Amino acid sequence: MANQPSQNGKNKQENQRVLLEVNNLVKHFPVRSGLLQRVSAWVKAVDDVSFHIYEGETLGLVGESGCGKTTVGRTILRLLPATSGSVAFDGKNIFDLNAAELKKLRRDMQIIFQDPYSSLDPRMPVGESISEGLRIHTDKTAQERYDVVVEMLARVGLRADHARRYPHEFSGGQRQRIGIARALSLRPKFIVCDEPVSALDVSIQAQVLNILRDLQKDFGLTYLFIAHNLSVVEHFSDRVGVMYLGKMVEMSSRDDLYRDPLHPYTQALMSAIPVPDPTLKRQRVILEGDVPSPLNPPSGCRFHTRCPLAFDKCAQEEPPFKDYGKEHYAACWLLEKGEIGASKL
Ligand code: SF4
């Protein structure tokens, strides 16, 4: 896709190519009830989300549990059908592809799950799990598939003889390495990493993140990195998007977001990150109340029921998601009014 300027400031980084472009993505889940299982309500998991990912970068996606970040990851891979919107990968709208075209695209777009144990067949040796995609998507011989499995196992720090073992014979960290090897076997361009280290011990997390980073460098991979741990996202991402109740509320380069968060919600999340220097004190912003239900999200700005800075307009109108300079996007009426800015929060 050529680098064209667009309404939300895409492609300003001249030398970077957009690999994935998400426009106005909506995913609502029906709630069925009664004897006839009629649709009685809709869970608005993702509501009009737009963003893009440059080739070779890592875009982190953060937010509290239930904010819609995992649904975004699965919908852009077409593991879940979208309600509306579009996702262009390498310039092609993947929602328009037929089954054969989608099968071809599956080689380029893969996912690493939070819990690799549940995504690995317990009755299948891990070598077979890793080579399954090769069997479906390529015409490689059994020997060629085995060679790829051995290479991928080595890439993630495992041995060739591990291919014959079963998932229960591995630790959580090793299973996640197997999940990475499996995602990588088809040499994809893009991987959704869905909370890939959340279930692992802290000491193992760093090892797995280092493997992901090395593979990105060696294979030119592009990542959508979904996590709720802000420190992990800071460590791993080039740019970061923050979601709240199905909406993107802020997105910018990692450094700008962590140094100068613009949105009150991001500010509150940042204030909860522990500071390594005990002499430094960060003012903690405590958010009142629970996250509202996505079945019936608040009107206007969805954050207004918990925002310490909310005023009348916030409950009535939704603030625009706008670029406030250097591709730093946010959605807040106070930014529109110029009453808050990076240095004033
Ligand atoms: Fe808070 Fe209003 Fe800004 Fe929403 S628009 S974040 S409620 S000040």
Side-chain angles (χ1 to χ4, degrees), residues 263-264 301 303-304 307 309-311 314 319 331-334:
H263 195 280
C301 171
F303 187 52
H304 84 259
C307 179
L309 305 175
F311 61 110
C314 303
C332 174
W333 283 123
L334 290 175

Side-chain angles (χ1 to χ4, degrees), residues 189-342:
K189 294 179 183 166
F190 172 69
I191 300 181
V192 173
C193 305
D194 187 6
E195 303 263 12
V197 296
S198 305
L200 305 178
D201 289 347
V202 174
S203 57
I204 309 293
Q205 286 185 3
Q207 293 172 14
V208 171
L209 290 174
N210 285 339
I211 289 170
L212 286 171
R213 198 188 289 284
D214 289 346
L215 293 170
Q216 182 172 41
K217 225 184 313 150
D218 294 348
F219 294 118
L221 294 167
T222 303
Y223 291 139
L224 175 64
F225 187 84
I226 298 167
H228 63 270
N229 184 323
L230 286 161
S231 301
V232 170
V233 170
E234 180 180 17
H235 175 73
F236 199 71
S237 308
D238 300 301
R239 290 186 305 130
V240 179
V242 181
M243 286 189 71
Y244 183 79
L245 211 56
K247 294 275 184 190
M248 194 74 79
V249 296
E250 185 159 4
M251 178 172 279
S252 81
S253 72
R254 184 251 332 257
D255 292 347
D256 282 352
L257 192 89
Y258 282 76
R259 194 177 44 232
D260 290 316
L262 292 178
H263 195 280
Y265 176 60
T266 316
Q267 176 73 9
L269 290 181
M270 296 294 171
S271 76
I273 302 177
V275 185
D277 183 346
T279 61
L280 288 177
K281 281 219 163 34
R282 183 184 267 156
Q283 198 184 349
R284 179 88 196 263
V285 182
I286 308 283
L287 293 178
E288 303 289 336
D290 295 326
V291 181
S293 166
L295 263 175
N296 190 16
S299 58
C301 171
R302 289 191 178 181
F303 187 52
H304 84 259
T305 54
R306 299 171 81 202
C307 179
L309 305 175
F311 61 110
D312 291 352
K313 189 176 184 179
C314 303
Q316 290 151 14
E317 286 180 57
E318 187 179 338
F321 187 64
K322 271 182 54 177
D323 185 357
Y324 287 93
K326 292 197 303 173
E327 287 205 81
H328 194 149
Y329 300 92
C332 174
W333 283 123
L334 290 175
L335 290 163
E336 272 297 275
K337 286 168 56 169
E339 289 190 9
I340 57 169

